[in-house]
Amino acid sequence: MRCAYCHNPDTWSRDGAERWTADDILERAERYREYWGSEGGITVSGGEPLLQAEFVTELFEKAHQRNITTCIDTSAQPYKPVKIFDQLFQVTDTVLLDIKHIDDEVHRKLTGHSNRNILACAQRLSEMGVPVWIRHVLVPGLTDDDDSLYRLRDFLDTLTSVRRIDVLPYHTMGRYKWQQLGIPYTLEDTPVPTAERIENARRILNSVHSS
């Protein structure tokens, strides 16, 4: 996607990446195993890990063979109801799932893409019983209105495997990357959210459904 508030626009290009095997990655990761603790493991982030679903599936299968827990940090935009994603989710212990906006039209404006397959991914993870942590970036004037937050809460109430809901306050730490890459930053005048609006979003998204 091309999120208006992305803090890693340098990951958008697929050019210039190094090539690693699953075993190479696991051998490097295991050098730090003593720091993980009893419940630690590996998280595949990005960019977007679902763009390499076959490779991540192989990586996670081999991780489980080494008794390493597995996690995906994803926006789920590449998701489709095809076999490879079910295979990947079967070897994924936790999914960190970003839901940018519950309204499809607004989501298109924010990211350039529909949210329909993202919500479908959340539903599939629920059906499969895969533990999910939901993350929602709170951007003043874009993703923080109460109506949208309540609509997102209603959607989350339809899922059965959500274990945690995090509100991530918008920040400007990645703005310099846009400037270095020569990409116009459209949120130049957008402030960071206030403590009151952050707490309001957390209260709504973590509330118990009233109906």
Side-chain angles (χ1 to χ4, degrees), residues 1 13 15-16 24 31 35 57-58 61-62 64 70 87 119 126 131 135 145 151 163 178 183 187 190 199-200 205 210:
M1 294 195 289
S13 174
D15 298 329
D24 287 339
R31 298 176 190 174
Y35 299 104
T57 299
E58 177 191 359
E61 288 173 345
K62 291 186 173 182
H64 279 181
T70 58
Q87 292 174 331
L119 301 185
S126 178
R135 286 107 59 82
D145 64 286
R151 287 175 59 193
R163 300 291 181 264
W178 291 68
I183 306 172
L187 303 184
T190 300
E199 181 57 33
N200 177 71
L205 293 182
S210 60

Side-chain angles (χ1 to χ4, degrees), residues 115-132:
N115 69 3
R116 293 177 183 174
N117 56 324
I118 295 168
L119 301 185
C121 182
Q123 292 167 329
R124 183 57 180 156
L125 290 166
S126 178
E127 291 169 359
M128 296 181 67
V130 180
V132 174

Side-chain angles (χ1 to χ4, degrees), residues 17-92:
E18 297 181 4
R19 291 185 177 272
W20 292 67
T21 68
D23 289 322
D24 287 339
I25 292 174
L26 291 171
E27 287 170 12
R28 171 171 284 199
E30 286 205 274
R31 298 176 190 174
Y32 306 96
R33 192 162 188 163
E34 64 179 288
Y35 299 104
W36 298 350
S38 60
E39 297 181 359
I42 60 172
T43 300
V44 177
S45 183
E48 176 47 63
L50 296 193
L51 289 173
Q52 301 185 57
E54 293 85 355
F55 177 78
V56 180
T57 299
E58 177 191 359
L59 176 68
F60 282 7
E61 288 173 345
K62 291 186 173 182
H64 279 181
Q65 292 169 8
R66 301 185 187 210
N67 295 316
I68 298 172
T69 59
T70 58
C71 177
I72 295 175
D73 180 355
T74 180
S75 71
Q77 194 282 322
Y79 174 77
K80 298 177 182 178
V82 295
K83 183 177 180 181
I84 185 56
F85 290 113
D86 277 2
Q87 292 174 331
L88 173 56
F89 297 152
Q90 286 169 355
V91 290
T92 302

Side-chain angles (χ1 to χ4, degrees), residues 130-202:
V130 180
V132 174
W133 291 14
I134 298 292
R135 286 107 59 82
H136 178 70
V137 179
L138 197 71
V139 185
L142 294 175
T143 70
D144 68 334
D145 64 286
D146 286 6
D147 180 64
S148 296
L149 292 170
Y150 278 114
R151 287 175 59 193
L152 177 55
R153 174 69 256 180
D154 287 344
F155 172 73
L156 298 180
D157 282 333
T158 69
L159 309 177
T160 59
S161 64
V162 174
R163 300 291 181 264
R164 176 168 167 170
I165 302 170
D166 290 329
V167 173
L168 308 180
Y170 163 72
H171 60 74
T172 60
M173 288 186 288
R175 182 186 299 172
Y176 76 96
K177 295 182 180 180
W178 291 68
Q179 295 169 344
Q180 290 179 343
L181 295 168
I183 306 172
Y185 190 70
T186 60
L187 303 184
E188 195 69 43
D189 298 324
T190 300
V192 297
T194 64
E196 290 77 12
R197 293 305 296 169
I198 295 170
E199 181 57 33
N200 177 71
R202 288 174 176 161

Side-chain angles (χ1 to χ4, degrees), residues 107-121:
H107 193 279
R108 289 176 185 271
K109 292 178 181 178
L110 283 173
T111 71
H113 291 272
S114 171
N115 69 3
R116 293 177 183 174
N117 56 324
I118 295 168
L119 301 185
C121 182

